[in-house]
Amino acid sequence: MTMSTLIAERHPSDPLFRADRLPHIWCPGCGIGPAMHAYAQAMVESGIPLARHVCVSGIGCTGRVPGYLNMDSYHTTHGRAIPFAMAIALVKPELEVTVYSGDGDLFAIGGNHFIHAARRNVDINVICINNFNYGMTGGQVGPTTPMGARATTAPFGNYEQPFNLPHLAAATGAVFVARWTSLHLRQLKQAMLRAMKKRGFTFIEVLAPCPVGFGRPNDIGDAMEEMTLYREGCVVDPAAPLDSLDIDLRVKDRPIVLGNFVDVERPVFDPLAMMRPTSEAENNTAVAGKTQEGQ
Amino acid sequence: MKGEPAVLTGQHFLLGDHACAEGALAAGCRFFGGYPITPSTEVAEWLARRLPEVGGIFVQMEDELASMAAIVGASVAGARAMTATSGPGFSLMMENLGLAAMMEVPCVVVNVQRGGPSTGLPTLVGQADVMQARWGSHGDYEIVAYSPASPQECFDLTVKAFNTADHFRIPVLVMADEVVAHMMERVTIPPAEAIPRVERKRPRQGPGGNGFLPFKADDDLIPPMVHAGEGYRIHFTGLTHDERGYPAITAPAHDRLVRRLVDKVRQKAWEIVEYEEYRLEDVSVVIIAYGSTARSARRAVGLAREQGIAAGLLRPITLWPFPGERVKKLAERVRAFVVPELNLGQISREVERFTSLPVLGVNHAGGAMMPPEPILEAIREVAG
Ligand SMILES: Cc1ncc(C[n+]2csc(CCOP(=O)(O)OP(=O)(O)O)c2C)c(N)n1
Ligand code: SF4
Ligand SMILES: [Mg+2]
């Protein structure tokens, strides 16, 4: 059997991907691919027709995700996916808009947009692939790089305190907040499903190996070893206090805490709320075009 | 809550900024994302009240990076969308202005010019962003920029900006200045059915078919535009892309795309270009002036004529594309050009590209309206 016939074999998720764009750009062992697959499966299981899902990204390795998905997708500029996505969601409230981007994109250059969209409770989902570095540009330090970790622009080890992303998201107003890894695909997909069914600003952090940008300079042998490191270091504790979710890889036996941490209700951003009859505005369902299903 | 209709047909006494806002509403703008900045803030304040009245969306964004990204996002979802800003905010919008050019997403940016660089003169007039308007974002692209000289033109040219943007699938600029934006004059708003409306070209085939190429242009070099949620499964990217919209990171693909983006506007430049001529019949000295400065230039023409000098005014209404061909034609029968502007010589450089006759700049860095006297002096100087 030749390679080409192998590639041509059908997989149940095939229609979700742009097969004509393969091979993809990601390195062997990269955590972005599996997490993208979880998103694709969640879309199918969401019951929302694929034509109503929209994926928006900024720039980076993760920013390439929408380009491989066979759906309406927008690959915008570095850091600006959230305001772009917000406007789509406001103009067409019937769409299920998801931002899929990297830690640098969403929390360094785009950090301001994240906190304001969360504060407003804009009806979008934000999925962040946190690989602890700027993968695309070759492994520079970023706002989630753990203390002590080496990067091309932190050759002596990172000395900046990184963000605790679930804590940040919750504090700024996200109504659903979760953290999983690209190894916890079932839990990750379930979290994505919940995010899709929930109205308002949801946030999912996905810890993902980047063997090239993060593993190599930090003496993590390969992707397998990086994944093992996360698997062995992870504990699932949805009730953990948000301020205890910092990730510190220097301290041996300090766990990486995973879970669905926040699931609350808040009025959803609706610039026309004041124009609607009071009862409608209070229920805040008028622009939705979709109703709250389950949680 | 019921408000006034989208098109406020009738005679009004309006501020330039408010006229821009009414022009946007009349053109069917239903999304505004902006960040307050003098001297454009009145556009946002006006639309914050008026847009919800007509079912439109107003969002005060967290900054101008977000404002520009939001109007591009609103437009890909199908809305006519606008932002308004001034120098510092305009600088922040440049990257996503380029995104709109690259993704071919129509949108309108009003830039009310004040004195720069940096924070400069927040409340006082300038005209020093006109080259930034042309070249501000990185890479090669063509832009259309209108220059209103009155509140009536703030209305008319904002309407036109939306139509040009939708027709060519490009970002379009309304380059007002503080004097025009803060001036009150009579503005006539026509009946709704008399407001010109050019629709976006839309795909002729439904979704689901094979071989649909969302970025395949017609003979006019403009591809029909698909909106989010229509079932076509489109991909838009700021990366160089092919007709499928897929990234194509090669020199030939880049040259093909960028050339098309530029040529779709360039080949129709003669249709887009607009200017006003004032007393050019028997002219020997031509003033070229735009925005508020054109008002002083008109006065200078009168004063010069009183002194027996055959002066006249060419007022570019589109700064970009620039009416260079008109300059060339005039150069065949005049002595010199005088170019007053509230910057230290920007459009004068463009004039020089189209003539070898003397081009005398009358420049002030900004902060006050250009008075007619220095323009008159320059006319006398070149008239000899
Ligand atoms: C305005 C701007 N600045 C810098 C860059 C270069 N750049 C591209 S991707 C990137 C970092 C991406 O890191 P992250 O968001 O973590 O994504 P990853 O590649 O790790 O998935 C940078 C700095 C850019 N494209 N645009
Ligand atoms: S550099 Fe890192 S994030 Fe980028 S593709 Fe490679 S492994 Fe993945
Ligand atoms: Mg990263």
Side-chain angles (χ1 to χ4, degrees):
Chain A
M1 200 186 268
T2 64
M3 270 313 275
S4 58
T5 50
L6 260 181
I7 288 169
E9 272 179 31
R10 307 283 305 162
H11 183 276
S13 303
D14 274 0
L16 290 163
F17 300 103
R18 300 183 193 273
D20 51 352
R21 284 225 48 217
L22 297 175
H24 57 67
I25 62 157
W26 297 315
C27 313
C30 176
I32 298 172
M36 172 174 81
H37 198 238
Y39 172 54
Q41 285 183 314
M43 279 194 286
V44 171
E45 289 177 30
S46 70
I48 302 166
L50 205 60
R52 270 173 48 201
H53 282 278
V54 176
C55 189
V56 183
S57 74
I59 302 295
C61 295
T62 313
R64 294 301 193 96
V65 162
Y68 295 119
L69 291 166
N70 194 12
M71 61 188 294
D72 282 351
S73 52
Y74 299 90
H75 179 220
T76 69
T77 44
H78 196 25
R80 316 300 162 212
I82 286 179
F84 192 105
M86 178 204 77
I88 296 176
L90 288 176
V91 171
K92 289 206 168 155
E94 68 276 16
L95 299 182
E96 184 62 32
V97 183
T98 300
V99 168
Y100 211 113
S101 222
D103 47 272
D105 185 83
L106 289 166
F107 293 101
I109 193 166
N112 199 32
H113 310 312
F114 182 92
I115 61 175
H116 288 282
R119 170 181 65 79
R120 295 182 181 115
N121 201 19
V122 175
D123 189 14
I124 58 174
N125 312 307
V126 176
I127 298 170
C128 173
I129 299 286
N130 181 5
N131 51 19
F132 303 122
N133 81 106
Y134 288 7
M136 176 63 96
T137 40
Q140 292 79 28
V141 71
T144 61
T145 307
M147 293 284 262
R150 280 190 299 275
T152 57
T153 49
F156 310 110
N158 174 36
Y159 44 83
E160 292 185 25
Q161 180 69 40
F163 275 134
N164 166 346
L165 295 182
H167 196 194
L168 173 72
T172 49
V175 290
F176 177 78
V177 179
R179 173 196 277 161
W180 296 100
T181 81
S182 61
L183 284 174
H184 298 77
L185 290 177
R186 203 177 49 78
Q187 296 94 325
L188 178 59
K189 187 195 72 189
Q190 285 310 118
M192 289 172 173
L193 263 173
R194 282 173 69 173
M196 285 171 190
K197 298 212 167 158
K198 195 163 177 80
R199 297 204 51 230
F201 188 90
T202 70
F203 175 65
I204 301 172
E205 175 184 16
V206 187
L207 304 180
C210 170
V212 175
F214 186 73
R216 197 154 51 193
N218 288 294
D219 306 323
I220 303 169
D222 57 10
M224 263 319 278
E225 191 179 327
E226 195 169 340
M227 286 192 253
T228 312
L229 183 88
Y230 297 151
R231 181 179 0 238
E232 288 174 355
C234 288
V235 302
V236 177
D237 181 7
L242 288 160
D243 63 2
S244 73
L245 301 179
D246 287 295
I247 294 171
D248 193 337
L249 302 176
R250 291 172 305 185
V251 190
K252 208 172 148 34
D253 298 333
R254 187 192 160 104
I256 298 172
V257 184
L258 308 178
N260 299 328
F261 305 111
V262 175
D263 191 346
V264 295
E265 300 298 326
R266 263 197 330 123
V268 175
F269 184 51
D270 174 10
L272 287 172
M274 307 311 282
M275 311 307 285
R276 303 183 199 288
T278 355
S279 58
E280 247 182 69
E282 273 166 10
N283 293 336
N284 214 310
T285 51
V287 271
K290 61 177 176 177
T291 47
Q292 190 82 41
E293 302 158 36
Q295 45 182 355
Chain B
M1 205 148 108
K2 259 225 145 33
E4 290 171 302
V7 183
L8 281 188
T9 305
Q11 304 269 349
H12 306 271
F13 189 55
L14 282 181
L15 199 69
D17 273 342
H18 293 164
C20 269
E22 285 301 331
L25 291 165
C29 172
R30 292 297 177 269
F31 186 96
F32 180 94
Y35 190 81
I37 183 165
T38 308
S40 76
T41 307
E42 294 87 354
V43 180
E45 288 172 340
W46 195 261
L47 288 174
R49 183 175 60 79
R50 288 279 282 133
L51 263 175
E53 281 181 354
V54 301
I57 298 163
F58 172 90
V59 187
Q60 182 171 315
M61 299 302 298
E62 52 272 23
D63 58 34
E64 290 87 349
L65 303 160
S67 305
M68 191 66 216
I71 67 166
V72 182
S75 183
V76 301
R80 279 193 157 184
M82 180 173 93
T83 187
T85 189
S86 184
F90 195 50
S91 291
L92 289 183
M93 289 176 183
M94 285 300 140
E95 189 191 8
N96 284 317
L97 191 79
L99 180 72
M102 193 62 150
M103 284 185 169
E104 303 185 69
V105 180
C107 53
V108 173
V109 177
V110 176
N111 178 32
V112 182
Q113 296 170 88
R114 63 192 222 184
S118 190
T119 313
L121 301 169
T123 59
L124 302 176
V125 68
Q127 293 184 313
D129 306 349
V130 292
M131 279 296 169
Q132 182 185 23
R134 176 63 190 87
W135 301 108
S137 197
H138 56 284
D140 274 314
Y141 63 101
E142 283 287 326
I143 197 89
V144 174
Y146 293 100
S147 170
S150 65
Q152 180 69 54
E153 274 196 344
C154 285
F155 179 91
D156 296 338
L157 294 179
T158 303
V159 172
K160 193 166 274 181
F162 277 99
N163 287 335
T164 305
D166 272 356
H167 179 78
F168 289 98
R169 289 189 62 177
I170 53 168
V172 173
L173 310 175
V174 178
M175 296 292 290
D177 63 53
E178 185 273 339
V179 167
V180 166
H182 281 166
M183 158 190 303
M184 286 187 91
E185 276 185 349
R186 186 167 66 181
V187 174
T188 304
I189 300 183
E193 57 288 359
I195 305 279
R197 172 100 191 195
V198 177
E199 298 295 341
R200 278 177 203 181
K201 197 201 295 179
R202 304 276 280 129
R204 292 171 292 272
Q205 101 190 53
N210 273 338
F212 176 64
L213 295 170
F215 285 89
K216 185 173 164 51
D218 298 321
D219 289 344
D220 60 4
L221 305 183
I222 305 164
M225 182 154 176
V226 175
H227 295 149
E230 294 182 330
Y232 289 87
R233 304 183 177 208
I234 36 80
H235 184 58
F236 280 48
T237 177
L239 284 169
T240 297
H241 46 270
D242 60 20
E243 292 180 337
R244 295 171 299 177
Y246 292 0
I249 312 301
T250 67
H254 188 65
D255 192 69
R256 198 177 314 128
L257 175 62
V258 177
R259 239 176 240 287
R260 179 175 68 72
L261 296 182
V262 164
D263 287 347
K264 72 176 174 180
V265 180
R266 261 188 208 169
Q267 69 174 16
K268 289 289 164 60
W270 56 276
E271 273 182 20
I272 305 168
V273 162
E274 274 187 58
Y275 48 83
E276 182 195 21
E277 299 189 350
Y278 176 62
R279 304 186 78 171
L280 288 184
E281 325 72 52
D282 57 339
V283 77
S284 80
V285 177
V286 178
I287 312 173
I288 298 181
Y290 51 93
S292 65
T293 303
R295 301 171 73 105
S296 309
R298 267 179 107 89
R299 173 90 183 118
V301 168
L303 295 172
R305 294 226 168 223
E306 277 169 23
Q307 299 181 12
I309 306 171
L313 170 67
L314 175 70
R315 178 172 73 88
I317 293 172
T318 51
L319 287 173
W320 309 112
F322 186 74
E325 291 307 317
R326 188 64 193 126
V327 172
K328 230 186 230 172
K329 266 257 111 15
L330 284 168
E332 292 167 6
R333 60 177 170 95
V334 305
R335 276 173 93 112
F337 293 91
V338 170
V339 185
E341 46 186 342
L342 293 174
N343 58 54
L344 300 186
Q346 297 196 12
I347 287 296
S348 57
R349 299 165 65 112
E350 191 65 12
V351 176
E352 282 165 355
R353 296 203 312 122
F354 294 97
T355 176
S356 49
L357 294 176
V359 176
L360 189 60
V362 181
N363 305 102
H364 188 285
M369 198 174 167
M370 174 74 64
E373 292 75 20
I375 306 176
L376 177 63
E377 250 166 69
I379 295 170
R380 288 165 55 110
E381 195 181 323
V382 292

